[in-house]
Amino acid sequence: MEDIIKAEHLTKYYGDFLAVKDISFSVKKGEIFGFLGPNGAGKTTTIRMLTGILKPSEGKIRIFGLDAEKNMVSLKERMGIVPEMANPYIDLTAMQNMMLIGHLYGMKKKEMKERSIELLRLFGLYEKRDKKVHSFSKGMKQRLSLAMAMLPDPELLFLDEPTSGLDVMSARLIKRIIKDENKNGKTVFMSTHNMNDANELCNRIAIINHGKIVAIDTPERIKRIGREHTVIEFSVEPFRFDKNIVPDVEKVKVMGDKIRIYTKDVDTVIKNIVNYARKEGLKIISLNTQKPSLEDVFVYLVGGKNE
Amino acid sequence: MSKFSQFSRSLAIVKKDMLIFYLKGPVIIMGLLFPFFLFGAFLIGRNLSHEYLFVALISMTAFFTSTAVGPTIIPWETRGKTFERLMSSPISITTVLLGDMQASFYFGLFITSAISLIVIFLHISLNLLIFIPAVILALLTFSAMTILMSSYPPTDVPADVMMLSSLVKFTLLFISGIFVPLEKLPLYARAVSAISPLTYLVDALRYSTNLSGYFPLWIDLLALLLFALIFFFSGVAVHKKVLERRFT
């Protein structure tokens, strides 16, 4: 299938600081491609290079088969972009924001008006179309941002953390619309640190950490990276736990009144937990084993520490 | 993509700037009142001809209105996180700056035109064939100057830029022959005046009111045009150079 984005050996320095180190990947037509990483991993820097906001220190980007550096302004006509933290104009109304973007994309007035109305309805903002954006909630602003990016009906959408910090309903709506856009043939490049979103939406994902891609594949295949590990989750009453009873495990994580242990040696760990509970007079409330989720693998790949 | 298409998109920037930054009650009132305050301070205690007063008033109005908001637009946009959205659209930084410059120009033109009506009450004969091109060229020059003023440092703190631009503007005001005619200045001061674009507007406006000028009129108009081109293109070059620093 045709490559819509092809990034080769991308590197970005900010002064002496190496933000992105020699990454290469491609995004195929019709894919939802997720770019996952912890804060400061290089996700936004990569998106900014792909969308022409930053110039790569080294490496090449081709979008729709064209050299991005030489053709960025005309390429952007085929792209809709929701930058991270970039706001709509709060002193303009929702409709004025839409019309501004329509003009910047060179759309005809009638077309931009009709499409704006259609999108504002889709995002549940039509009733507020003449209200200034400073009265909008974060979720409404983000919905408007996505509506603005979709206005010119672009073939390729770049979404930087599209659901970050949103209420459940706004996040659901945005995810549904991303899926629908993809069904209609749009290619989506999205960054996120929300594993559920990535698992639910993306055909393929790349995990980036410290500016380097550490894994790139489908979510299911990436989950297999951690297949030799098992997650043991248990809870005891009264809640108490001594890490020293499981000395050779990969990771121990306290989650509310539960403990999650990542290990290759299920037998020893479970016996130790049971012995510990018996010795301390603790009641085991729950104890189960499961294969790692995408989040587990992500934590494993980006080197999370015991908590 | 054609240059015309980019120019037509710059008009969307003009409209946005007008709605957000210029067409606000306090900005318009300050645009109208500020030159009058300065003019009043200049007028009190002096016995000056109507022509002389008109030249001073129009020069200050054109200068202060067309440079009032322009230098702070990009820092405001950077701070409000709207600049990245703008740069994510299919327009170049030159188009954005062309739009910002036009907004400064149209605002200056509107206020200067309104203030120019005072000519009716001063009973002076005004040569519009000199007045109109001189004012238009000067407004273009001052608007282009705001592009250069906003270019460096690449800050997201509008107050930093305002402080620097006020320093430049008031310095230019005092060396441009508004308060003391050029011919009465010592030679070194005249040399300093020559580097101020405002000097050439004041000189051209003197011709338009039948006062005598210091430089030939064609020099005044040519100098304004050259300043406009230099300010705009050097401003664009600096903006391009520091653009990434606004996002990092």
Side-chain angles (χ1 to χ4, degrees):
Chain A
M1 204 178 283
E2 181 192 349
D3 282 341
I4 295 291
I5 302 171
K6 194 163 180 58
E8 292 175 326
H9 306 293
L10 281 189
T11 297
K12 182 68 187 176
Y13 284 94
Y14 295 124
D16 292 334
F17 175 69
L18 182 57
V20 171
K21 187 181 178 185
D22 192 22
I23 62 169
S24 299
F25 60 89
S26 60
V27 178
K28 309 245 175 270
K29 187 176 168 60
E31 257 190 331
I32 300 183
F33 187 88
F35 214 54
L36 269 74
N39 291 335
K43 301 188 297 289
T44 296
T45 298
T46 305
I47 285 204
R48 282 174 167 170
M49 287 193 280
L50 295 174
T51 55
I53 298 293
L54 299 176
K55 274 189 186 166
S57 307
E58 288 163 27
K60 279 270 168 214
I61 299 166
R62 295 187 80 77
I63 297 179
F64 299 117
L66 297 170
D67 183 332
E69 198 177 337
K70 289 181 188 153
N71 301 284
M72 189 44 86
V73 174
S74 55
L75 281 173
K76 280 183 190 167
E77 298 219 317
R78 301 167 71 183
M79 290 155 44
I81 301 165
V82 179
E84 188 200 21
M85 299 290 293
N87 295 321
Y89 286 94
I90 57 169
D91 288 325
L92 298 182
T93 65
M95 188 55 118
Q96 284 170 333
N97 270 288
M98 297 292 282
M99 298 300 267
L100 169 65
I101 294 297
H103 283 296
L104 295 179
Y105 274 81
M107 293 172 74
K108 300 260 185 307
K109 200 169 181 179
K110 185 169 177 270
E111 180 197 0
M112 76 173 91
K113 195 159 190 180
E114 285 173 358
R115 178 111 174 112
S116 296
I117 290 170
E118 180 193 331
L119 285 168
L120 289 173
R121 281 190 204 281
L122 179 66
F123 282 94
L125 295 169
Y126 183 71
E127 303 304 322
K128 303 259 183 190
R129 66 192 181 282
D130 294 324
K131 294 262 185 261
K132 286 197 175 174
V133 172
H134 62 64
S135 64
F136 283 21
S137 68
K138 185 176 179 186
M140 289 162 76
K141 282 181 190 164
Q142 189 69 353
R143 280 185 268 153
L144 178 60
S145 274
L146 190 52
M148 288 159 75
M150 285 168 54
L151 181 67
D153 200 17
E155 297 160 67
L156 172 60
L157 279 166
F158 283 98
L159 312 174
D160 198 353
E161 308 272 2
T163 58
S164 175
L166 297 189
D167 61 278
V168 177
M169 296 313 285
S170 292
R172 267 192 190 181
L173 178 66
I174 286 177
K175 282 191 278 186
R176 181 173 61 77
I177 290 169
I178 292 171
K179 279 183 197 166
D180 289 347
E181 283 294 290
N182 182 245
K183 270 185 205 154
N184 293 331
K186 305 292 160 62
T187 307
V188 181
F189 184 103
M190 59 178 277
S191 79
T192 181
H193 51 231
N194 187 321
M195 298 306 126
N196 292 334
D197 287 359
N199 198 25
E200 186 184 336
L201 293 171
C202 299
N203 302 108
R204 284 194 308 141
I205 55 176
I207 296 178
I208 185 170
N209 191 33
H210 298 304
K212 287 184 77 172
I213 290 181
V214 291
I216 181 164
D217 217 322
T218 62
E220 289 309 312
R221 283 202 195 120
I222 283 189
K223 282 180 204 169
R224 281 189 220 155
I225 292 173
R227 199 165 46 179
E228 70 270 29
H229 294 91
T230 299
V231 180
I232 300 168
E233 189 177 282
F234 72 97
S235 182
V236 289
E237 205 175 74
F239 185 72
R240 196 186 320 152
F241 183 64
D242 177 5
K243 278 180 192 168
N244 296 323
I245 64 158
V246 284
D248 296 321
V249 298
E250 299 295 318
K251 184 174 157 61
V252 178
K253 196 173 177 187
V254 180
M255 296 173 68
D257 64 346
K258 287 176 280 298
I259 307 286
R260 276 171 85 84
I261 297 174
Y262 300 73
T263 183
K264 288 179 185 173
D265 186 357
V266 183
D267 180 59
T268 307
V269 171
I270 289 181
K271 282 175 180 163
N272 287 355
I273 292 168
V274 172
N275 286 339
Y276 171 71
R278 188 181 294 132
K279 195 174 133 197
E280 297 289 319
L282 306 175
K283 182 180 174 189
I284 295 175
I285 304 294
S286 65
L287 173 67
N288 61 63
T289 62
Q290 50 195 251
K291 282 293 165 194
S293 65
L294 187 58
E295 182 172 343
D296 297 326
V297 176
F298 174 82
V299 171
Y300 169 70
L301 287 171
V302 301
K305 295 193 174 92
N306 288 353
E307 290 158 30
Chain B
M1 193 180 301
S2 73
K3 295 230 171 354
F4 176 74
S5 149
Q6 287 287 301
F7 177 77
S8 71
R9 290 175 198 195
S10 76
L11 297 177
I13 307 282
V14 175
K15 190 176 175 189
K16 177 263 299 173
D17 285 350
M18 285 292 175
L19 288 170
I20 295 173
F21 299 106
Y22 288 97
L23 295 182
K24 303 232 158 132
V27 177
I28 293 175
I29 289 167
M30 273 308 288
L32 287 165
L33 288 184
F34 188 65
F36 271 114
F37 286 135
L38 261 180
F39 177 68
F42 167 59
L43 177 67
I44 291 165
R46 290 174 164 210
N47 186 20
L48 299 168
S49 71
H50 284 180
E51 286 82 1
Y52 199 88
L53 293 174
F54 180 74
V55 168
L57 178 63
I58 296 303
S59 304
M60 286 192 277
T61 304
F63 186 55
F64 280 104
T65 54
S66 58
T67 55
V69 183
T72 61
I73 291 177
I74 300 271
W76 273 119
E77 295 240 25
T78 308
R79 168 160 281 203
K81 310 279 183 204
T82 51
F83 190 53
E84 187 170 345
R85 169 168 295 285
L86 218 47
M87 292 314 302
S88 301
S89 307
I91 50 171
S92 66
I93 179 70
T94 311
T95 305
V96 174
L97 297 172
L98 184 64
D100 288 343
M101 180 182 142
Q102 287 179 81
S104 294
F105 172 79
Y106 297 134
F107 182 69
L109 186 64
F110 168 69
I111 301 280
T112 308
S113 302
I115 299 277
S116 297
L117 295 176
I118 202 168
V119 74
I120 299 164
F121 304 102
L122 293 177
H123 305 293
I124 56 176
S125 81
L126 183 65
N127 185 339
L128 290 175
L129 290 177
I130 299 173
F131 180 80
I132 292 172
V135 167
I136 287 176
L137 273 174
L139 288 169
L140 281 173
T141 304
F142 302 147
S143 305
M145 193 166 81
T146 67
I147 300 303
L148 185 58
M149 284 172 170
S150 68
S151 65
Y152 201 88
T155 175
D156 65 350
V157 183
D160 290 352
V161 177
M162 276 173 91
M163 196 174 64
L164 281 172
S165 73
S166 296
L167 187 72
V168 172
K169 285 195 289 187
F170 280 99
T171 307
L172 294 183
L173 185 68
F174 286 104
I175 64 168
S176 300
I178 293 179
F179 300 116
V180 182
L182 288 183
E183 57 272 17
K184 291 187 181 165
L185 290 173
L187 197 58
Y188 75 89
R190 277 183 244 173
V192 174
S193 296
I195 61 166
S196 164
L198 184 55
T199 300
Y200 301 97
L201 171 63
V202 174
D203 205 50
L205 289 181
R206 287 168 70 96
Y207 282 109
S208 75
T209 55
N210 294 326
L211 292 170
S212 58
Y214 182 77
F215 299 109
L217 179 61
W218 70 269
I219 292 269
D220 292 330
L221 300 179
L222 183 64
L224 286 171
L225 181 65
L226 286 176
F227 270 115
L229 293 172
I230 291 166
F231 285 150
F232 183 72
F233 287 108
S234 58
V236 169
V238 178
H239 270 289
K240 281 183 178 169
K241 184 122 184 121
V242 301
L243 187 60
E244 285 201 358
R245 287 169 59 184
R246 296 191 187 275
F247 305 116
T248 55

